[in-house]
């Protein structure tokens, strides 16, 4: 059974199976995106919002401070060899409010064996769709200090 590791600046990091991801409210997204190898693709995904899964893990920011929240990033890796980065602000309801999913179903089929899929419904290009998600890292990067 496929699992993803949710880790980083979180109070409650976790290993989550696709079945575990079904504990959150499931959202549906009918999407069309361009795949570099297969052209236009149309799919229906179902799964929890990534922001809800991360929020329940206890992100290390002050929820009352918008500027603090806007510093955080998510790096997602998949068993398909793809990786992508999202900003927390893209997902946060006070900013972009993007309904990014960790899909548990694809076109009506359960993804328990294959692993969850990152779904970014607003993307026209499928480059940030990551299959068989293995890691979701949450944290901040330290900006470089300018030299003399």
């Amino acid at each position: 059974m496929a699992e993803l590791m949710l880790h980083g600046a979180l109070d409650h990091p976790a290993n989550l199976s696709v079945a575990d991801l079904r504990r959150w409210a499931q959202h549906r997204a009918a999407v069309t995106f361009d795949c570099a190898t297969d052209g236009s693709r149309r799919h229906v995904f179902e799964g929890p919002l990534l922001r809800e899964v991360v929020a329940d893990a206890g992100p290390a920011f002050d929820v009352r401070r918008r500027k603090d929240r806007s510093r955080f990033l998510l790096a997602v890796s998949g068993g398909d060899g793809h990786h992508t980065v999202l900003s927390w602000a893209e997902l946060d309801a006070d900013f972009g409010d993007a309904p990014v999913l960790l899909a548990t179903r694809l076109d009506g089929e359960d993804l328990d064996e294959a692993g969850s899929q990152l779904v970014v419904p607003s993307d026209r290009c499928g480059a940030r769709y990551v299959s068989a998600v293995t890691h979701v890292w949450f944290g901040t990067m330290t900006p470089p200090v300018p030299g003399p």
Side-chain angles (χ1 to χ4, degrees), residues 61-72 88-89 92 94-95 140:
F61 54 59
D62 183 342
V63 296
R64 298 166 295 175
R65 296 184 59 216
R66 290 183 181 137
K67 288 202 181 217
D68 190 34
R69 293 188 323 232
S70 70
R71 300 179 307 120
F72 284 79
W88 179 256
D92 192 302
D94 284 341
F95 295 96
T140 61

Side-chain angles (χ1 to χ4, degrees), residues 16 23 77 130 133:
L16 300 169
R23 293 187 306 218
S77 300
V130 176
V133 174

Side-chain angles (χ1 to χ4, degrees), residues 26-138:
Q26 301 293 289
H27 299 264
R28 190 170 194 262
V31 300
T32 301
F33 59 89
D34 292 329
C35 176
T37 56
D38 297 330
S40 183
R41 307 276 305 263
R42 295 179 198 282
H43 293 292
V44 176
F45 293 95
E46 297 171 62
L49 294 173
L50 176 57
R51 72 172 165 249
E52 291 177 356
V53 174
V54 172
D56 283 354
F61 54 59
D62 183 342
V63 296
R64 298 166 295 175
R65 296 184 59 216
R66 290 183 181 137
K67 288 202 181 217
D68 190 34
R69 293 188 323 232
S70 70
R71 300 179 307 120
F72 284 79
L73 305 171
L74 298 104
V76 180
S77 300
D80 64 354
H82 292 104
H83 311 279
T84 197
V85 176
L86 299 142
S87 71
W88 179 256
E90 285 180 83
L91 310 180
D92 192 302
D94 284 341
F95 295 96
D97 198 22
V100 175
L101 303 180
L102 282 173
T104 60
R105 293 176 60 84
L106 166 61
D107 296 330
E109 299 292 324
D110 290 336
L111 293 173
D112 293 78
E113 294 300 319
S116 65
Q117 183 162 339
L118 182 72
V119 177
V120 187
S122 61
D123 284 4
R124 184 188 61 78
C125 167
R128 292 198 299 176
Y129 282 66
V130 176
S131 296
V133 174
T134 56
H135 294 273
V136 176
W137 174 86
F138 178 81

